[in-house]
Amino acid sequence: MKTLKFLFLEDSSTDLELIQRELKRGGVEYIPVHVQDREEYLRAIEDEKPDFIFSDYSLPNFDGLSALTIAKEQCPTTPFIFVSGTYGEEAAIQTLTRGATDYVLKDRLVKLVPALRRAIREIEEHHALRRAEQEKFEIEEQLRQSQKVEAMGFLAGAMAHEINNPIMAIIDYAQLISKGEMDIDKAQKIASKIKQEGERISVMVKDLLRFARQEKASFEPVSVFALISKTRSIAEQRLKMSRIQLDLDVQPDLPSVMCKEGQILQVLLNLINNGIDALNQRYPEYNENKRMIISAKPEEIGGKSWVRITVEDLGSGIPQEIGKSIFNTFFTTKGADKGTGLGLSVSLGIVKEHGGFLSFESAANEYTRFFLDLPAV
């Protein structure tokens, strides 16, 4: 552990000696930096970067409250302990209110070392809390990425099947052109079809790659209509393969929401994938009732503007006995090869981070509706 650097703002050499003697008697090792006025104090904070500041309350050309204000501006995390002889109860309350770590009277210096050790303990606890928060954030990010990879697995399989069709068409068209047996007009028409099929593949792949990339974007206003349109584009191939009809009830002029677009896409795609599984469970083959509906509308909640996105499927529903568990991490009713149980727990975490709500209602073998509520811009 490094030796701590203590900055002493004190105009009395006798008092300074008593303070430092008390610290030495308490077994505290430190590097002392002594200043007596404002200029020296400012220079020491900038140049010396002290770990602790000990300050008198009253000085001839400076005062402790001003020193505390400067410290809170220049080095807000550095503990600041008042050591003073002119320190009444009112002054003590005022300094603590302004952010002082502690105060010790000069005629009770025996309390100085305990005050210092208490401050060191608080710093260590703060650092431990920050480390725990960082570890929690990293675990949450890993879970989000794992869930995204899982969602991509479902989507990529369907997309690979869908991409195969335009690729085979492009190959057939190219073979026709290579024979050199057609006139220029027909060749141009075929070239135009090749271009269309190529662009179709490009859109599919770009949408999937945009969703797949590790997102570190900040919150920004996003059109709900555009958000749902992108979601449909990415999920379209899996819906087609399962022969599911997707109906949209979304107006282009809906309010925007402040969000990280990729994360909300992840939530919506997870809800759609779950809906597809529920529909395939209820209707293994084609059925006219094999449908999903995505709708969005403005809401007024608590005097504030929100947007509610509803993802509904007419599938197998969620049994009442497991309804309370579906947002739990790793909870799943699917087989081991169908899902990890991360989807809804990760989705809930994302929505909470956005200041929103994720809820549902369901009736067994009738429907499931998930409600995603996000604050409007």
Side-chain angles (χ1 to χ4, degrees):
M1 182 178 175
K2 72 166 188 173
T3 303
L4 298 173
K5 186 176 290 186
F6 291 174
L7 173 59
F8 298 95
L9 176 58
E10 175 60 68
D11 64 312
S12 169
S13 57
T14 302
D15 288 347
L16 177 63
E17 185 179 346
L18 290 172
I19 292 167
Q20 293 181 338
R21 186 186 300 169
E22 187 64 32
L23 291 171
K24 184 177 181 181
R25 193 171 69 171
V28 180
E29 295 185 6
Y30 63 94
I31 300 169
V33 179
H34 178 216
V35 297
Q36 300 186 61
D37 56 38
R38 187 178 187 277
E39 287 69 25
E40 291 178 343
Y41 177 73
L42 285 169
R43 191 160 51 248
I45 284 180
E46 184 176 349
D47 296 343
E48 301 293 343
K49 308 274 189 302
D51 298 295
F52 277 83
I53 299 173
F54 298 87
S55 174
D56 199 350
Y57 185 74
S58 229
L59 297 102
N61 300 314
F62 198 29
D63 66 276
L65 286 178
S66 297
L68 175 61
T69 300
I70 292 170
K72 288 299 160 189
E73 292 173 354
Q74 302 294 326
C75 49
T77 61
T78 302
F80 192 107
I81 298 177
F82 277 103
V83 186
S84 179
T86 57
Y87 209 81
E89 184 178 344
E90 185 178 336
I93 294 172
Q94 187 179 17
T95 55
L96 293 175
T97 302
R98 292 197 183 187
T101 306
D102 212 331
Y103 66 92
V104 176
L105 295 174
K106 286 182 177 178
D107 59 359
R108 296 179 188 172
L109 286 177
V110 68
K111 294 185 177 182
L112 181 60
V113 172
L116 172 64
R117 298 203 185 284
R118 187 162 54 247
I120 292 174
R121 197 161 53 246
E122 288 175 357
I123 291 173
E124 290 172 346
E125 289 172 355
H126 175 72
H127 287 164
L129 180 61
R130 290 291 298 274
R131 285 195 299 272
E133 289 175 348
Q134 181 62 29
E135 288 171 4
K136 179 175 178 287
F137 172 79
E138 290 172 357
I139 290 171
E140 287 175 347
E141 283 300 304
Q142 290 170 7
L143 288 175
R144 288 180 186 181
Q145 199 60 25
S146 296
Q147 196 278 320
K148 182 182 280 191
V149 170
E150 178 185 315
M152 282 176 56
F154 292 130
L155 297 166
M159 190 170 287
H161 181 273
E162 183 70 12
I163 286 175
N164 187 59
N165 294 330
I167 286 178
M168 294 305 296
I170 288 171
I171 292 171
D172 289 343
Y173 291 146
Q175 287 174 342
L176 286 173
I177 294 174
S178 67
K179 290 179 180 179
E181 298 174 355
M182 63 180 68
D183 58 45
I184 187 66
D185 290 338
K186 189 172 182 180
Q188 286 179 342
K189 287 179 182 178
I190 290 179
S192 177
K193 288 182 179 179
I194 290 175
K195 181 174 180 291
Q196 289 173 2
E197 296 293 349
E199 287 173 346
R200 184 177 158 207
I201 294 172
S202 177
V203 169
M204 290 184 209
V205 174
K206 281 180 181 177
D207 284 338
L208 187 62
L209 289 176
R210 190 180 296 115
F211 170 63
R213 71 172 182 260
Q214 184 115 16
E215 184 186 45
K216 295 184 179 178
S218 57
F219 287 83
E220 58 185 7
V222 176
S223 160
V224 173
F225 182 81
L227 194 64
I228 293 175
S229 297
K230 287 181 183 178
T231 305
R232 179 178 61 178
S233 171
I234 296 171
E236 189 172 17
Q237 279 66 48
R238 192 172 183 225
L239 289 163
K240 281 183 180 179
M241 286 185 66
S242 297
R243 291 180 286 183
I244 293 171
Q245 178 181 335
L246 175 63
D247 299 326
L248 297 185
D249 180 12
V250 185
Q251 299 302 315
D253 59 349
L254 276 170
S256 295
V257 293
M258 188 69 70
C259 70
K260 293 182 178 180
E261 184 182 45
Q263 291 188 1
I264 299 302
L265 274 174
Q266 183 174 350
V267 172
L268 292 172
L269 287 168
N270 178 62
L271 297 179
I272 288 175
N273 278 331
N274 286 347
I276 291 172
D277 291 339
L279 283 162
N280 285 334
Q281 182 178 344
R282 186 177 183 187
Y283 303 112
E285 303 298 331
Y286 169 76
N287 189 290
E288 62 180 9
N289 292 322
K290 203 173 183 181
R291 294 169 52 232
M292 293 189 71
I293 306 100
I294 300 179
S295 60
K297 62 178 182 177
E299 294 275 341
E300 193 78 16
I301 303 175
K304 295 182 179 179
S305 297
W306 294 68
V307 175
R308 165 166 284 193
I309 301 173
T310 302
V311 179
E312 177 180 359
D313 69 77
L314 306 181
S316 55
I318 299 172
Q320 190 173 1
E321 61 270 18
I322 69 169
K324 293 181 179 179
S325 304
I326 64 169
F327 290 112
N328 294 346
T329 305
F330 300 119
F331 178 84
T332 181
T333 58
K334 304 173 186 177
D337 60 334
K338 295 290 186 181
T340 60
L342 290 173
L344 287 175
S345 64
V346 169
S347 295
L348 182 62
I350 290 172
V351 175
K352 284 183 175 179
E353 184 183 315
H354 282 72
F357 303 95
L358 184 62
S359 57
F360 77 98
E361 64 181 27
S362 183
N365 287 318
E366 289 188 33
Y367 68 88
T368 298
R369 297 186 190 108
F370 276 92
F371 306 108
L372 170 58
D373 297 313
L374 294 170
V377 175

